[in-house]
Amino acid sequence: MQRDLNQLGQEEFDLLIVGGGIYGATAAREAALAGLRVALIEANDFAAGTSGNSLKIVHGGLRYLQHADLKRMRESIAERKILLRIAPHLVHPLPCVMPTYGHAIKGPEVMRVAMLMNDVLSADRNFGLDAEHRLPMGKVLSRAQFLDLVPHVDQTRLNGGAVWYDATMYNSERLALAFVRAAAENGAAVANHLAAESFLMAAGRVGGVRARDAIGGGTVEIRARQTLTCGGPWINDLFAQLGERRPPAQAFSTALNLVVKRRLSDTYAFGVNCKKEFKDRDALIKKGSRLLFVVPWRDYTMIGTDHRPWKGTAGDYRVSEADIAAFLKDANDAMPGAEIRRDEVTFFYGGLLPMAGVNAASGDVSITKHFRIYDHEKEQGIPGLLSVLSVKYTTARGVAEAAVRAAGRKLGRRLNSGRGRKTPVWGGDVGDFAGFLATQQAERPQGMSAAQLEQLARNYGTGLGDVLKTAGEMEAGLRPLAGQEKVLRAEVSHAVRREMALTLADVVLRRTELGSGEYPGDAAVTEAAAIMAAELGWDAARVAQELAALRARYQPI
């Protein structure tokens, strides 16, 4: 996967996608698989924005029973199954449990019915999946069984728990990258750190964008018959370029997730209710309080999600120390006995999500529940332009499929848009993952530990051979970075040579698992920067700049 700005400027594409988060990444792959000539650009790095802010859950929409939204639930169930099938190295089953209280809406009787409905509505959830990726049926637990799994809940009137199964992403950033790499392998021209500055307009029609190179400077004009914006919270910035014909501004909410260096449950994700009352005007069943979800992930626990109305622009948002403190207090109030200290919060993820409104009485945020595809020709009289706005990581691929079909209609082409449901993402053609991992372990290079090999298998899938090839081309490629046990020196060079990593943050936060849970230490990041400097020709000043920018990412304002 190579960044070729000359290629981007030399031809007219069928579809230009602006925004390289999960929605843009999946759209690029769907369009390339459907036979379109595709370009994808991203202002920062792939999945560096809101798509990098995830609880790592691929969920089947159990909570939508509360709204009787069975259509959206079925969409989530279908896309969860697709991700388990096309990215089996990155997406794996996740057992989840919810405490039950009393004998009303939160009681075991109601939850037993909910588990049964979930199983019936997802009866096809395991079709086409290998044994390790199949999701068992739900069940109700006794009080003692629940407390064996999750001790950190309010035990007043606790009488059990309800278990269901969803899925978890081992590495959400690499999952987005796997879609980008799959798009590139199918002919898409892709580039990160390339920001759309303005639309190219001719006779009132959008014909592409003028983009600025954040790495080398300068601009490039990218021409396309159709342009699809997937800018997430930057959508208002893109709309502003349309002048008087721009759509109404979209409101956004902050979304904050915390990473804790302690496992609050060994294997089960679990929900806990905040002490604060929560009012969802769309819910048919009123739960009465906001739900927090606590997710085991690698050696950590993730807690989310805290939502608050946001008034500024997307580029202005930063997580503050006050945000972390307030959310940590809510989490500790909801989990008696957990007593999570501030120094246990090793990292934080913040982003912006589309907001439907704010409850005037309570201040509660209502997140937009349904995706939207803007047809700017129909709505504003601007041909050549479509936009996507949505929330969920789980259903991004399905939304992308719908958006590409819409683009195909604009292009006068009837597209075969079903290939993406069955075609593995880059690295995903592993078949039975347990068998794949066992085979790779049996062929493990001398001197490499089982843990090192397993993280390669989970992050790269069938692409781990490329990492091993890079290791053979460099000195001490199979040696882990300083102070690390798993992440190898070769992964840094591989990220630069084959995965378009152009900044230290690209490598530490998104190409490898080096720093996605906590700051990996000065020794590791300094060595990684030195490897990148050798690959990219950085001087000492650039290395110092990259190190400073990375360290700032771990510091709230």
Side-chain angles (χ1 to χ4, degrees):
M1 187 171 72
Q2 300 299 320
R3 185 175 185 265
D4 187 347
L5 302 192
N6 288 330
Q7 179 190 12
L8 285 168
Q10 287 177 353
E11 60 181 283
E12 183 179 47
F13 295 91
D14 295 320
L15 181 64
L16 165 63
I17 299 167
V18 178
I22 188 59
Y23 281 86
T26 51
R29 173 180 176 267
E30 293 296 320
L33 286 173
L36 295 182
R37 187 75 185 105
V38 183
L40 168 68
I41 64 171
E42 160 58 37
N44 192 323
D45 185 29
F46 305 118
T50 297
S51 295
N53 174 32
S54 165
L55 270 180
K56 317 302 180 187
I57 295 178
V58 178
H59 69 82
L62 176 65
R63 64 187 179 187
Y64 300 150
L65 287 175
Q66 176 191 3
H67 301 82
D69 193 344
L70 303 188
K71 178 178 182 293
R72 194 159 52 128
M73 187 174 177
R74 280 294 303 166
E75 290 171 350
S76 297
I77 290 166
E79 291 302 321
R80 181 186 62 191
K81 179 174 65 175
I82 289 171
L83 289 176
L84 283 163
R85 183 171 59 219
I86 68 175
H89 58 309
L90 288 163
V91 183
H92 303 269
L94 174 70
C96 305
V97 63
M98 186 79 69
T100 59
Y101 296 94
H103 298 282
I105 190 62
K106 297 180 182 179
E109 297 85 2
V110 171
M111 291 303 294
R112 182 173 284 108
V113 173
M115 295 301 102
L116 177 60
M117 291 181 66
N118 184 51
D119 287 333
V120 170
L121 288 167
S122 64
D124 59 349
R125 64 188 177 276
N126 293 323
F127 289 179
L129 300 180
D130 66 77
E132 185 184 321
H133 283 74
R134 292 173 188 161
L135 307 182
M137 296 178 66
K139 59 184 177 181
V140 173
L141 304 177
S142 69
R143 187 178 193 274
Q145 287 173 321
F146 175 83
L147 289 173
D148 281 344
L149 297 175
V150 182
H152 302 301
V153 297
D154 184 353
Q155 297 185 26
T156 306
R157 300 184 68 219
L158 176 73
N159 55 12
V163 172
W164 75 100
Y165 290 80
D166 268 325
T168 183
M169 294 177 278
Y170 183 81
N171 191 326
S172 55
E173 294 84 1
R174 285 209 63 87
L175 181 56
L177 186 68
F179 280 102
V180 174
R181 292 203 63 172
E185 286 195 342
N186 283 278
V190 304
N192 55 356
H193 300 284
L194 186 65
E197 285 194 330
S198 60
F199 291 112
L200 300 177
M201 305 292 295
R205 179 185 182 87
V206 171
V209 303
R210 179 177 292 103
R212 180 164 296 279
D213 180 8
I215 300 298
T219 61
V220 58
E221 292 190 352
I222 308 169
R223 294 172 294 113
R225 297 171 63 197
Q226 284 289 321
T227 299
L228 172 67
T229 73
C230 300
W234 282 267
I235 195 170
N236 288 333
D237 296 344
L238 293 167
F239 284 172
Q241 299 174 22
L242 299 174
E244 295 180 354
R245 290 189 289 174
R246 66 182 179 271
Q250 169 66 46
F252 286 90
S253 159
T254 65
L256 174 62
N257 298 307
L258 302 180
V259 182
V260 176
K261 190 65 179 290
R262 194 204 322 169
R263 293 290 284 269
L264 297 176
S265 172
D266 287 339
T267 55
Y268 280 72
F270 62 95
V272 289
N273 290 109
C274 277
K275 299 302 181 183
K276 297 178 181 178
E277 184 181 12
F278 176 73
K279 296 179 180 179
D280 185 344
R281 64 185 179 185
D282 298 324
L284 300 179
I285 300 173
K286 308 298 182 182
K287 295 185 298 183
S289 59
R290 179 166 58 96
L291 183 72
L292 298 183
F293 222 65
V294 184
V295 184
W297 176 66
R298 299 184 194 160
D299 298 326
Y300 307 92
T301 294
M302 297 200 70
I303 304 174
T305 300
D306 183 64
H307 297 287
R308 299 173 191 271
W310 176 249
K311 298 296 186 182
T313 65
D316 292 335
Y317 175 59
R318 299 291 186 278
V319 175
S320 72
E321 188 62 52
D323 294 333
I324 294 174
F327 187 27
L328 187 56
K329 182 181 185 303
D330 286 349
N332 277 323
D333 288 346
M335 291 185 283
E339 298 179 350
I340 304 166
R341 304 184 311 275
R342 174 61 182 89
D343 63 341
E344 292 183 286
V345 179
T346 54
F347 203 22
F348 51 87
Y349 287 92
L352 298 174
L353 293 177
M355 182 177 69
V358 181
N359 187 297
S362 66
D364 296 323
V365 167
S366 177
I367 299 300
T368 300
K369 294 179 171 63
H370 299 279
F371 73 86
R372 182 176 178 188
I373 300 174
Y374 292 81
D375 183 339
H376 296 284
E377 181 176 18
K378 181 184 296 185
E379 298 177 33
Q380 287 86 37
I382 305 174
L385 183 64
L386 298 166
S387 296
V388 167
L389 187 69
S390 193
V391 174
K392 288 179 60 178
Y393 201 116
T394 301
T395 54
R397 193 219 60 84
V399 174
E401 185 180 302
V404 170
R405 281 200 304 269
R409 290 192 292 270
K410 294 290 185 181
L411 293 166
R413 295 176 59 174
R414 185 172 181 176
L415 303 177
N416 176 12
S417 57
R419 289 184 61 195
R421 303 174 197 175
K422 297 182 179 180
T423 305
V425 299
W426 180 89
D429 192 14
V430 301
D432 168 29
F433 180 75
F436 169 76
L437 180 58
T439 298
Q440 297 304 314
Q441 290 286 15
E443 299 173 354
R444 187 172 72 243
Q446 186 175 5
M448 179 184 288
S449 72
Q452 290 165 354
L453 189 285
E454 182 171 345
Q455 74 88 10
L456 290 180
R458 291 184 181 276
N459 280 309
Y460 302 91
T462 54
L464 70 83
D466 291 345
V467 180
L468 297 180
K469 180 181 178 182
T470 301
E473 298 169 351
M474 60 185 294
E475 183 179 353
L478 292 179
R479 191 181 73 199
L481 289 164
Q484 298 295 305
E485 296 180 357
K486 296 180 182 179
V487 180
L488 307 178
R489 287 167 45 83
E491 293 182 69
V492 180
S493 290
H494 173 267
V496 174
R497 296 177 188 179
R498 296 181 172 87
E499 295 189 330
M500 213 175 288
L502 297 171
T503 72
L504 185 58
D506 293 350
V507 167
V508 174
L509 295 173
R510 291 175 289 275
R511 299 300 185 278
T512 73
E513 62 179 70
L514 182 61
S516 50
E518 62 184 306
Y519 181 64
D522 286 344
V525 298
T526 300
E527 184 174 10
I531 295 171
M532 293 192 73
E535 295 280 353
L536 295 170
W538 292 348
D539 59 17
R542 176 63 186 274
V543 169
Q545 176 186 338
E546 292 290 332
L547 288 168
L550 177 70
R551 288 166 183 147
R553 178 64 181 82
Y554 293 87
Q555 300 297 322
I557 61 173

